[in-house]
Amino acid sequence: MAAPGENLRINGERLWDSLMEMAKIGPGVAGGNNRQTLTDADAEGRALFQRWCQVAGCEMGLDSMGNMFALRPGTDPDALPVYVGSHLDTQPTGGKYDGVLGVLAGLEIIRTLNDMDIRTRHPIVVTNWTNEEGTRFAPAMLSSGVFAGVHSEDWAKDQRDASGARFGDELRRIGWEGDEPVGARKMHAFFELHIEQGPILEAEGVDIGVVTHGQGLSWTQITVTGRDSHTGSTPMPMRRNAGLAMARIIDKVDAIAWGHAPDAVGAVGHIEISPNSRNVIPGKAVFTVDFRSPDKAVIEDMERRLREQAQIIADDMQVEVAFEKVGGFDPVAFDAGCVGAIRDAAERLGYSHRDIVSGAGHDACWIAQVAPTAMIMCPCVDGLSHNEAEEITPQWAAAGADVLLHAVVETAQVIG
Ligand code: HGY
Ligand code: MN
Ligand code: MN
């Protein structure tokens, strides 16, 4: 396939303006975003993205999980489309670029091809995957997981947020439940541009991460049940303190991850304690353990150690402990052909690049199960993400989008 000329570049200013415009929707309290999935802010961001896609001449498809697909026709109607995209939903204290860069860089590719009147044989489709973050409704990458056949649609739509709201009801309430059967679409390839969300590229002064693999993830929700009682009048030996048991288990999570240094990671970011009253020994604690590693056997070993050690703590403290796997996926190797197209594009465009394993999970990790898939990463300042202070530079955004443009256009085959 003929490679595009190295002078084929996106319009970095236009991309940056679109990122800043989208960032106005669902603002956080410290300069980032709180545009959680299926909220009114999510609906507003979707509407803006749809308007931009329509102005760019795309036809918008919408499936029954709310996944959005903006199609730019190719010259061969029988050719499977090349998909590009990511997610517009954010963490509650999220940044302006996590996911959003990948969606709007996809739109920028369409805008650039329109400007230059370039036609491709394969159609190109820009995608917004619903609920990548998994923060309001677990698990992460929920709708790309349904698309890839990993989760059933019914199970996904029955997921509930902390207030008890049901995913399917919220999707319908915001008016973004489509008729298209989820997963019906077939892809020629899928490319996702994403900020690294870690420190490696910036520390090494490298413009482009050529993502060869995504590390695996495991989410175990633990429920500890003790007994509510008075913090003042209950003698220490009589207490069945679910909060203290949780604290001791969380300490073990950290030690288990360190036990598999340097690649494994572990933390607890979600904690619910009840009755959460200053003068009541907590009788219940619910929390989610997040383990990750590039090695599946290490993830399984960390899960096993967690259950063993949590059970010992529970028995010792006379509390009950229950475990529920609420999310996870195996380490994924991306498609060598797509990875090569990305690496060649970075080389052709003169951007420094290095192979990298994704520390975070992405929709591409599920889509890799149904189509040749690969990812591109750009650096982020101090490697910080899932924090309102998340920052990138316009140059990093443009470099990532240029490489995405070349990889997509080469794969979609330029006709003229
Ligand atoms: O959890 C993740 O890795 C992603 O940010 N949803
Ligand atoms: Mn993301
Ligand atoms: Mn994220």
Side-chain angles (χ1 to χ4, degrees), residues 86-87 98-99 132-133 192 194 197 360-362 386:
S86 191
H87 62 93
D98 172 359
E132 188 281 340
E133 290 294 358
E192 180 169 3
H194 204 288
Q197 300 182 292
H362 303 286
H386 286 194

Side-chain angles (χ1 to χ4, degrees), residues 87 91 98 131-135 140-141 194 197 217 219 290 292 329 358-362 385-386:
H87 62 93
Q91 288 283 334
D98 172 359
N131 188 33
E132 188 281 340
E133 290 294 358
T135 177
M141 296 99 78
H194 204 288
Q197 300 182 292
L217 173 152
W219 279 1
D290 179 319
R292 310 207 189 188
F329 59 86
S358 174
H362 303 286
S385 182
H386 286 194

